[in-house]
Amino acid sequence: MTYQHYSLEVRRGEQGHISAQAEDALASEVPVAMIYNGISHAVMMASPADLEDFALGFSLSEGILMHPHECYDLEVQEEAHGIAVQMRIAGQRLDALKQRRRNLTGRTGCGLCGTEALEQAIRPIPRVTAPAIRDSAIQHAQASLAQHQALQAMTGAAHGAAWCNAQGRIELVREDVGRHNALDKLIGALARRGESVAEGFVLVSSRASYEMVHKSASAGIGALVAVSAATALAVEQAREANMLLVGFCRPGRHLVYHRPAAGTLSAMATS
């Protein structure tokens, strides 16, 4: 279940006097383990929905898999303390994953100490083709995002990642308590459906960080629109990837952080 009902006190005024008893819906958050050929690789806190999409999207965006067909089998298993996602992947990809894990062995407390670790912190980003997206399409998607976020409407605690076509119509949405998770779920859902990502764009209800740009580029997505700001590193990475990057997408206004030649927008106030 993606949410649970809890009783609570409603307090009002400067002294916090109790004025009512009520029930509220709280978003669920559970440990989800990603297990490849019997080897546990990572455990994330996530909303317990669309976990098949989450596992595949995470595997692709983190470079564990290069293509969806390299995942031969995927099974979601509920356990006493969380959820395990068991995946059977190609031997070549498993060997690469084992090598990555060996490279992590022996690092000290900070986890990114030394030149080698710092170099690995920012992975090479693939180049993408930025589609030509009109300002009106971005604004249309922004205006309709809320009505596609059922978990957010219920709990107020979920991020959304939406796939929008070139006209700004939202075609697919995934939600999660974590913004990275929501994007991974969307990437996985697109991959499982075999959807082309050549013409549309992703709209996220969060800021555009380095990881959000990198995950999008890893999936071949050429345009990322965020409701909040972009970080400096996100802009640098978008430039390197040739990605259209838009932030602070609000009614009637958005900021274009990077606009490749192919990502030309129509005339509108975009700053």
Side-chain angles (χ1 to χ4, degrees), residues 3 15 52 73 96 125 127 129 137 159 187 214 223 244 257 260:
Y3 65 90
Q15 303 303 317
E52 294 88 351
D73 189 41
I125 190 167
R127 286 183 67 82
T129 301
H159 281 294
I187 290 170
H214 199 285
L244 172 64
Y257 291 104

Side-chain angles (χ1 to χ4, degrees), residues 169-250:
R169 185 176 69 249
I170 293 177
E171 298 185 336
L172 186 64
V173 174
R174 289 294 181 264
E175 291 185 277
D176 197 276
V177 291
R179 57 195 174 90
H180 298 151
N181 297 347
L183 182 54
D184 277 335
K185 286 180 177 181
L186 179 65
I187 290 170
L190 291 168
R192 292 178 72 207
R193 296 184 181 199
E195 296 278 352
S196 171
V197 295
E199 300 300 328
F201 61 96
V202 166
L203 171 63
V204 294
S205 65
S206 63
R207 70 182 184 273
S209 64
Y210 152 74
E211 288 179 299
M212 302 295 273
V213 169
H214 199 285
K215 285 178 180 291
S216 297
S218 296
I221 294 166
L224 176 65
V225 178
V227 169
S228 295
T231 66
L233 184 55
V235 176
E236 292 174 11
Q237 290 286 289
R239 288 173 176 167
E240 185 173 342
N242 193 51
M243 179 184 291
L244 172 64
L245 181 61
V246 176
F248 278 119
C249 184
R250 307 294 168 83

Side-chain angles (χ1 to χ4, degrees), residues 12-197:
R12 303 183 188 278
E14 293 181 359
Q15 303 303 317
H17 297 298
I18 299 175
S19 59
Q21 293 286 333
E23 279 200 350
D24 194 18
L26 303 184
S28 298
E29 189 175 14
V30 302
V32 178
M34 300 295 182
I35 303 174
Y36 299 91
N37 294 29
I39 300 173
S40 181
H41 175 68
V43 178
M44 279 82 65
M45 301 303 296
S47 301
D50 303 308
L51 294 181
E52 294 88 351
D53 295 337
F54 182 32
L56 182 58
F58 173 84
S59 301
L60 291 168
S61 71
E62 291 298 315
I64 296 169
L65 301 179
M66 296 294 104
H67 303 284
H69 66 253
E70 292 177 325
C71 181
Y72 300 148
D73 189 41
L74 190 157
E75 183 178 358
V76 177
Q77 301 174 343
E78 292 191 19
E79 300 186 353
H81 301 291
I83 298 174
V85 184
Q86 300 278 355
M87 286 168 277
R88 187 166 61 88
I89 64 175
Q92 183 179 6
R93 305 314 310 160
L94 181 63
D95 290 343
L97 179 61
K98 288 179 178 178
Q99 183 61 43
R100 180 190 298 187
R101 290 171 60 84
R102 280 195 293 271
N103 289 340
L104 293 174
T105 302
R107 290 187 182 168
T108 53
C110 69
L112 290 175
C113 297
T115 302
E116 181 181 0
L118 289 174
E119 290 174 348
Q120 292 175 350
I122 303 175
R123 295 173 290 162
I125 190 167
R127 286 183 67 82
V128 294
T129 301
I133 304 296
R134 301 177 69 85
D135 290 316
S136 57
I138 292 173
Q139 286 294 308
H140 179 70
Q142 180 276 328
S144 58
L145 178 60
Q147 67 190 44
H148 291 273
Q149 286 195 255
L151 184 59
Q152 169 66 7
M154 181 74 68
T155 67
H159 281 294
W163 175 250
C164 314
N165 68 12
Q167 291 72 46
R169 185 176 69 249
I170 293 177
E171 298 185 336
L172 186 64
V173 174
R174 289 294 181 264
E175 291 185 277
D176 197 276
V177 291
R179 57 195 174 90
H180 298 151
N181 297 347
L183 182 54
D184 277 335
K185 286 180 177 181
L186 179 65
I187 290 170
L190 291 168
R192 292 178 72 207
R193 296 184 181 199
E195 296 278 352
S196 171
V197 295

